[in-house]
Amino acid sequence: MALYIFLIFAVILLDQIVKLLVVNSIPLDSSVQLIPSVLSVAHIRNYGAAWNIFTGQKWFLFLITVVALSVLVYLFLKLWKNWIYALGISLMIGGTLGNFIDRIRVGYVVDMLQLDFINFPIFNVADSALSVGVLIIIIAMLRDEKND
């Protein structure tokens, strides 16, 4: 279990460090190309959730986050001995907490990763951890369904 707890804190720490670096080095609402035509690092503020849904609904997002974290912690405690579920849930908890810290601390989430080769919303490290965690859970569920 200690490894998964470490992973949760590592995701939070990496997310917060990257956000701090971006805020301190890139002007708001601008970007810097990292890999031409592939990836830029931007500095934007997201006052909503994914794809800016629920913009301005701070208390609703707070409530949804608390509920989501409660469910994730319950599932983690129930499934932590199954490594693939524990891995996915740990990434999801770390990502959720990374963005939650922003919402509590400054009232918005800092986003910075911009894919230049596709029209896709700008995202951050926490969002990436959440997405990878969900993908791992889906793969685990499909694997389990196949084995039944």
Side-chain angles (χ1 to χ4, degrees):
M1 183 184 278
L3 179 63
Y4 303 116
I5 302 296
F6 175 80
L7 177 60
I8 290 168
F9 283 105
V11 167
I12 295 167
L13 185 62
L14 179 62
D15 178 65
Q16 293 297 304
I17 287 171
V18 171
K19 288 173 179 174
L20 182 65
L21 290 171
V22 166
V23 167
N24 289 331
S25 61
I26 299 174
L28 183 61
D29 296 325
S30 64
S31 65
V32 176
Q33 256 192 356
L34 193 61
I35 303 170
S37 301
V38 177
L39 180 67
S40 293
V41 178
H43 176 191
I44 66 165
R45 293 177 179 169
N46 182 346
Y47 291 90
W51 293 280
N52 282 317
I53 61 173
F54 305 119
T55 298
Q57 304 292 321
K58 185 177 180 178
W59 290 108
F60 179 71
L61 291 170
F62 180 86
L63 179 64
I64 292 295
T65 303
V66 169
V67 170
L69 281 170
S70 299
V71 170
L72 287 169
V73 168
Y74 168 79
L75 290 171
F76 177 78
L77 293 173
K78 185 175 179 180
L79 300 169
W80 74 270
K81 290 183 180 180
N82 185 321
W83 73 270
I84 194 162
Y85 285 101
L87 176 63
I89 294 168
S90 296
L91 289 170
M92 293 171 68
I93 291 171
T96 301
L97 285 171
N99 284 336
F100 194 47
I101 289 168
D102 282 10
R103 285 194 182 95
I104 290 172
R105 193 173 58 81
V106 293
Y108 54 83
V109 173
V110 175
D111 286 334
M112 79 286 297
L113 301 172
Q114 180 176 346
L115 301 176
D116 297 328
F117 61 91
I118 189 172
N119 184 14
F120 192 78
I122 299 172
F123 57 99
N124 60 40
V125 173
D127 298 333
S128 299
L130 273 162
S131 297
V132 171
V134 168
L135 183 62
I136 289 170
I137 296 297
I138 290 169
I139 290 169
M141 291 170 69
L142 291 172
R143 180 196 68 175
D144 289 350
E145 184 177 293
K146 182 180 176 185
N147 290 335
D148 283 345

